[in-house]
């Protein structure tokens, strides 16, 4: 029995050219698939490159504007807003009739750096110590600047 | 069995293309994230400015209905008034 199992499989001489043909066919198939994959991958690479360039150009164009807006907000508008909220909140402590207005706006400002209504704490409006002199929020169009 | 040089070249091209795709995709995602973060901050600033302006308007309306010097003083300190502008000559 061992003799039968260990006996090398002898291929008929007629199978060898057929096998070689199949190997060649497989080689061609792999080559074709690789060419297709290179084409697809190259197309994807070019697409991603263009998207990256577009995003990069957009970022370069938008970043200075955004940084400018943030600088103006931090240096001018935010102190003015905080100062206004602080003064209105102080006014509300002595004039309870404005409380409904402050209560209406309080949820809007909840996530900001201050609070309007008096119910929060002893520190007025939760104003950080950085609040300084106001310098330039443009009033809404309905407001009338003092002459 | 010897490898065909064409297959080796194609495999190399595929590897290079895949690596470049990964790099471009990563850069694209990073830059898009930066743009979105900046847009969010600018939108937040605009929302805050609009909110405080609306509050100012409501305080001006309030001062028209309940006139007193304290609220006038608060408004005046911000260059606001509830009085109509002087007529142009």
């Amino acid at each position: 029995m061992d003799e039968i199992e260990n006996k090398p499989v002898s291929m008929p001489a007629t199978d060898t050219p057929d096998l070689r043909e199949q190997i060649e066919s497989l080689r061609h198939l792999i080559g074709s698939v690789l060419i297709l994959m290179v084409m697809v991958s190259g197309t994807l690479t070019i697409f991603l490159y263009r998207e990256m360039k577009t995003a990069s150009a957009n970022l370069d164009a938008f970043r200075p504007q955004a940084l400018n807006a943030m600088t103006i907000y931090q240096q001018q508008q935010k102190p003015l807003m905080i100062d206004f909220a602080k003064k209105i909140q102080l006014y509300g402590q002595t004039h309870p009739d404005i409380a409904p207005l402050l209560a209406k706006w309080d949820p809007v400002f909840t996530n900001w750096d201050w609070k309007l209504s008096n119910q929060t704490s002893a520190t007025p409006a939760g104003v950080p110590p950085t609040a300084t002199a106001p310098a330039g929020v443009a009033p809404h169009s309905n407001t009338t600047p003092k002459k | 069995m010897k490898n065909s040089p064409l297959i080796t070249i194609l495999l190399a091209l595929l590897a290079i293309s895949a690596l470049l795709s990964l790099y471009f995709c990563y850069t694209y995602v990073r830059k898009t994230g930066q743009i979105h973060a900046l847009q969010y901050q600018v939108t937040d600033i605009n929302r805050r400015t609009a909110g405080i302006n609306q509050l100012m308007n409501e305080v001006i309306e309030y001062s028209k209905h309940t006139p007193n010097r304290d609220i006038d003083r608060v408004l005046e300190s911000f260059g606001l008034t509830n009085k109509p502008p002087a007529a142009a000559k």
Side-chain angles (χ1 to χ4, degrees):
Chain A
M1 194 172 176
D2 285 344
E3 285 178 15
I4 295 171
E5 283 181 353
N6 293 336
K7 194 175 177 180
V9 179
S10 61
M11 287 205 285
T14 52
D15 283 353
T16 311
D18 188 40
L19 202 60
R20 203 177 295 271
E21 201 174 296
Q22 285 182 11
I23 289 171
E24 276 306 308
S25 170
L26 194 61
R27 193 190 293 265
H28 283 135
L29 183 68
I30 288 172
S32 304
V33 169
L34 270 176
I35 288 171
L36 278 174
M37 283 177 70
V38 166
M39 286 169 68
V40 171
S41 177
T43 307
L44 181 69
T45 304
I46 291 168
F47 170 74
L48 287 173
Y49 173 74
R50 291 173 65 97
E51 288 293 308
M52 184 203 72
K53 291 298 277 185
T54 308
S56 185
N58 287 343
L59 182 62
D60 289 344
F62 183 59
R63 197 202 304 263
Q65 298 172 22
L67 291 180
N68 189 35
M70 281 188 261
T71 306
I72 289 172
Y73 172 75
Q74 287 292 340
Q75 292 179 353
Q76 299 176 7
Q77 295 179 339
K78 189 177 177 184
L80 180 64
M81 291 177 182
I82 291 175
D83 198 34
F84 183 76
K86 180 183 170 186
K87 285 185 176 169
I88 285 296
Q89 201 257 356
L90 284 173
Y91 174 82
Q93 287 178 350
T94 52
H95 299 79
D97 52 330
I98 202 173
L101 196 150
L102 299 184
K104 174 190 159 194
W105 278 95
D106 211 23
V108 179
F109 296 100
T110 299
N111 295 328
W112 297 10
D113 303 330
W114 62 82
K115 286 189 81 68
L116 289 173
S117 62
N118 297 325
Q119 63 204 6
T120 52
S121 63
T123 54
V127 177
T130 54
T132 55
V137 162
H140 198 262
S141 56
N142 291 347
T143 58
T144 312
K146 191 183 168 194
K147 301 276 176 181
Chain B
M1 190 175 88
K2 280 175 68 180
N3 276 335
S4 160
L6 177 68
I7 288 180
T8 309
I9 290 169
L10 287 174
L11 277 173
L13 279 176
L14 195 61
I16 291 168
S17 178
L19 286 175
L20 281 175
S21 288
L22 277 177
Y23 170 73
F24 292 150
C25 188
Y26 169 75
T27 312
Y28 169 73
V29 169
R30 202 162 47 89
K31 287 185 184 291
T32 308
Q34 287 177 3
I35 291 173
H36 286 163
L38 287 174
Q39 279 174 341
Y40 175 79
Q41 287 179 336
V42 171
T43 306
D44 194 44
I45 288 172
N46 289 339
R47 201 169 55 232
R48 288 178 185 216
T49 308
I52 205 78
N53 282 337
Q54 284 183 24
L55 174 64
M56 285 177 173
N57 283 334
E58 293 202 6
V59 172
I60 288 171
E61 288 300 314
Y62 161 83
S63 73
K64 285 178 184 170
H65 299 307
T66 26
N68 67 61
R69 288 200 52 78
D70 290 340
I71 194 69
D72 285 346
R73 235 177 279 129
V74 170
L75 290 173
E76 282 166 8
S77 66
F78 291 91
L80 304 170
T81 179
N82 55 12
K83 298 178 184 65
K89 292 183 181 174

